[in-house]
Amino acid sequence: MPAAVPPRRRSRLRIAAALAVSTVLLAACGGSGEGTGRIVPDGRLTIAMAFGPGAGYAIDTDDAFVLSQLGVTEPLVASGADGRPRPALATEWARTDPRTWRFALRPGVTFQNGEPLTGHAVATALNRLAGVEAPPRAVRGIGLTAAPDGATAVRVTTTAPDPILPLRLSSANTAILAPSAYASDPPAVQGTGTGPMTITRLDGTQSVELQRNETYWGERPQLAGVTANFVPDPAARALALRAGDADIAQELPEATALEFTGDGYVNESVAAPRTASLLLNQSRAPFSDIRVRQAVAAAVDRAALGEQALAGSAVPASELFGPAVSWGSQEPPPPADPARARRLLAEAGFGPSRPLRVELGTYANRPELPTLATAVQEMLRAAGIEATIRVGDYDAREADLLAGRYDMYLASRSYLLDVPDAGATLRTDYTCRGSYNINRYCSPEFDALLAPLTARTDPAARQEVFTRAAAKLNADVVGVPLVHTRAGGVGSQVAGYTVDPLAKTLVVPGLAKTG
Amino acid sequence: MTAVLLRRLLALPVVVAAGAVLVFLLPRFSGQDTALAVLRSRTGEADPDPVVLAALRARYGLDGSWWDQFTAWAGAVLAGDLGISYASRTPVAGLLWPALGVSLVLTVASLVVAGVVGVPAGVRAARRPGGTFDRALSTGAVLGVAVPEFVLGTVLVLTFAVTLPLLPATGWGTPAQAVLPVVTLAAFPAALAAQLVRAETIDALGRSHVTVARAKGLSGRAVLWRHGGRLALTSVTAMSGLFLGGLLGGSVVVEVLFAVPGLGRLLYDAVLGQDLPVIQAGLLAVIVVAALAGILAELVALALDPVARGEAR
């Protein structure tokens, strides 16, 4: 028979257990993050990155964003969410004929390994990029070729006049590597970039070590070195930040990010150029009837979706383009109006005697989508629409979607194809001949509205077209934009940390460790 | 034992060949367009160019018949060439062997920890069934089996990396970084081993030869370990053989939670991107290692159990 534990010892044990548990929980809820706030000269940072290299740092793949964020590589042109091209490795550019642009190179720039940045080096890099078997979105299908124009300039030609070529060359994929990088496939990235940080050690998909590029052409980087660990699990990134293993953790869920509230924490959250929308199949009933589409739009409470269903991790959408871009809507979405939705449905012939039943499809690769689908289902039910949710693999469903074999589909889509210009998305997703027109929307008026984009170079003039296009899509209820995704991260005792909605910058010369 | 070893080694090529057919066919039942998945894993392309897709299919031989694809792959593997990863465009061997090494270290270390903790605990509990230690062990074993790895791993990190900053929370490469993933992965087999050893030891202690040993005046501790514990080890050894294969490719949760660059994570990413050469080579490696571990476990079990050794002859 077991010996009984004396009552006093038992109570001590209970207290000790309770203290242990509460200590753990308190630590879990808080964190230190305190410090003097002074910049540590030549400091080092460890970053827990959300996405690692999936293709051996190949510059023609999405790995280019990793290199760009780490400050390793740079393109000819820089750009921000305002959609305007700015000088980077090229200081100025001009159209020399309808199909050709000339880019003057920044003088005195060398690659991290000492090779000079020349017209020949730039032409080599761009031609290699355009010639890969699957060119990246920014340069796909435009027939890009580059030729040196002396040692200090390059001429870039396309098969048809391209009004946004400078913006295309701001894509992370178009970063310029030294000619020696292309001796291997994928191109070597150690010492072959021009950015403020140089890779000193690559450790597969686990981590990368960087040190300051002492010959950087721009502002001297504050940091002497950076270690980037690729931690795909958001919970693990949060734990790494809490444990002090990381100074910056990218892409934390909103609820987790809010736990880091100490003085030393920098909690960054910005709207990303990505919209979760209800796609409505206009090629067949019931959504071929605009009144039914209007009823869906009226039934959905988008503010509740962003602020409650997704706990503030998304911005309620009033139109396709959101606050991530200068031409996006800053307005709140219209409030839900279930009564109006019922009236519209009644006008379209649906009601208690003939309820509207539809299938609402979505996929789970993006965890917010099933949550949104469930919330939307409830909102539609309140308006008299019975939606059956079907969650499945997107790739397996894509052919049905493109062929118009669906009712309603909830999808998340970036509206910028790596460059801050929405022309490509508008053309592929919403024109009569668009190759990705899942809504099956066809309006000659809308197509005509986009026509000036083939010639307009000025970003402001193009953005005016984007604004009018978004308004037209709203008027025709081409799907229902629900929320814009947020991008975020938390830094501990760091200065100069910002989140780039275009996911191109992170380690910049101004980023520093604070004490 | 030699006969058993020979029989098993002769059967190994058949097992590997059957496994090769399966690992070739299974990814192709996913219904995904491999070329599209490869393209999307590279550039996140929503609206792919059909010309590019066709070029990718031709480049990787995906436009040929399944038989052509299988014979080409199997022939290359037999020649020692695991192919080129569709995603990274680098040799699969360069990705597979380091990841397999990491997972082997993680898995073997976990099984050793599980054995070191589970076996003595099970034997000790069998000494007095229903006693305090036995009941504590039963509770612990239930928790060890029931608590998911992502919960246990998180609690361990919060305790030993955050509250008591003794160990790193993520990464791989130093002994300190291995502690938390190994303990997390060891919890389940340790709990299972403890339960198994306890049951087997209680059973063994009731056998006639143990009664004889006791009558000869052997001490209780000697009877417990020499007769009870040793017999129970045979079951644990057999279980370890099974676990090794399972944990090798199946420790995805632990590898993702602790950012360990092991085979589970490599396969997980490969499956998402339909990186067929990596999937095929990774699964085949798991099958070979599991088969070899099974043979080894069987030999160890035979060495420990004279009765089974006699039956094997």
Side-chain angles (χ1 to χ4, degrees), chain A residues 218-236:
Chain A
E219 180 191 343
R220 186 171 192 263
Q222 300 260 18
L223 291 169
V226 169
T227 300
N229 294 318
F230 305 114
V231 187
D233 182 49

Side-chain angles (χ1 to χ4, degrees), chain A residues 18-168:
Chain A
L19 276 175
V21 170
S22 57
T23 307
V24 169
L25 289 175
L26 279 173
C29 295
S32 62
E34 291 166 7
T36 62
R38 291 199 196 108
I39 287 176
V40 177
D42 301 330
R44 297 191 64 86
L45 278 188
T46 302
I47 304 172
M49 295 190 72
F51 299 101
Y57 292 98
I59 198 77
D60 56 292
T61 70
D62 285 348
D63 286 6
F65 286 85
V66 178
L67 295 168
S68 174
Q69 285 189 28
L70 290 175
V72 175
T73 56
E74 295 171 315
L76 289 181
V77 179
S79 70
D82 63 357
R84 292 181 178 278
R86 291 194 295 275
L89 293 180
T91 51
E92 55 187 32
W93 45 89
R95 228 172 178 166
T96 54
D97 69 55
R99 296 193 300 115
T100 305
W101 290 75
R102 181 182 186 275
F103 294 83
L105 303 180
R106 187 176 293 280
V109 176
T110 59
F111 293 97
Q112 292 146 358
N113 61 8
E115 292 178 66
L117 178 80
T118 62
H120 174 262
V122 174
T124 301
L126 294 178
N127 287 330
R128 281 293 295 261
L129 181 75
V132 298
E133 61 192 359
R137 292 160 293 215
V139 299
R140 197 188 82 187
I142 59 170
L144 182 147
T145 55
D149 185 5
T152 58
V154 65
R155 286 180 187 275
V156 182
T157 305
T158 52
T159 46
D162 188 344
I164 61 160
L165 189 69
L167 278 180
R168 290 184 189 279

Side-chain angles (χ1 to χ4, degrees), chain A residues 254-480:
Chain A
E254 192 75 2
T256 307
L258 291 174
E259 290 170 11
F260 295 96
T261 52
D263 287 344
Y265 288 120
V266 182
N267 204 324
E268 288 279 304
S269 177
V270 298
R274 175 174 281 280
T275 310
S277 302
L278 272 181
L279 309 179
L280 304 173
N281 181 5
Q282 296 190 26
S283 68
R284 71 182 192 193
F287 296 119
S288 50
D289 186 335
I290 191 170
R291 291 169 300 186
V292 183
R293 303 201 298 273
Q294 287 169 331
V296 171
V300 176
D301 185 346
R302 304 177 221 189
L305 290 177
E307 289 155 14
Q308 292 167 27
L310 298 183
S313 61
V315 184
S318 58
E319 62 169 44
L320 176 62
F321 304 123
V325 291
S326 58
W327 66 89
S329 171
Q330 308 285 335
E331 298 296 315
D337 189 350
R340 179 168 178 262
R342 285 181 183 279
R343 276 199 309 276
L344 287 161
L345 285 173
E347 285 174 26
F350 297 100
S353 58
R354 189 187 168 222
L356 175 58
R357 291 195 175 90
V358 291
E359 183 185 274
L360 168 56
T362 192
Y363 50 98
N365 300 44
R366 290 196 163 266
E368 73 272 21
L369 293 181
T371 307
L372 280 175
T374 308
V376 167
Q377 183 188 40
E378 285 304 313
M379 292 168 182
L380 294 178
R381 184 174 292 145
I385 301 172
E386 289 298 325
T388 307
I389 293 177
R390 174 182 169 185
V391 181
D393 182 58
Y394 171 80
D395 289 336
R397 193 77 203 282
E398 186 177 55
D400 282 346
L401 296 174
L402 289 170
R405 292 189 291 268
Y406 78 101
D407 294 327
M408 181 188 278
Y409 199 76
L410 176 58
S412 175
R413 170 103 159 118
S414 171
Y415 50 77
L416 300 181
L417 297 183
D418 302 343
V419 295
D421 186 275
T425 303
L426 288 172
R427 254 191 305 277
T428 57
D429 292 19
Y430 300 103
T431 59
C432 294
R433 299 179 66 183
S435 54
Y436 200 66
N437 187 346
I438 295 177
N439 285 287
R440 313 281 287 176
Y441 168 66
C442 180
S443 160
E445 275 176 60
F446 182 84
D447 289 8
L449 198 153
L450 295 191
L453 291 179
T454 54
R456 281 189 193 168
T457 299
D458 176 36
R462 296 180 67 82
Q463 290 168 13
E464 189 191 322
V465 174
F466 303 152
T467 305
R468 285 167 52 210
K472 173 72 174 159
L473 294 175
N474 256 9
D476 290 349
V477 199
V478 184
V480 183

Side-chain angles (χ1 to χ4, degrees), chain B residues 99-134:
Chain B
L100 184 63
V102 167
S103 286
L104 268 175
V105 170
L106 177 63
T107 307
V108 171
S110 302
L111 288 177
V112 169
V113 169
V116 167
V117 174
V119 172
V123 174
R124 170 97 164 69
R127 196 169 133 200
R128 195 175 295 165
T132 310
F133 186 82
D134 186 30

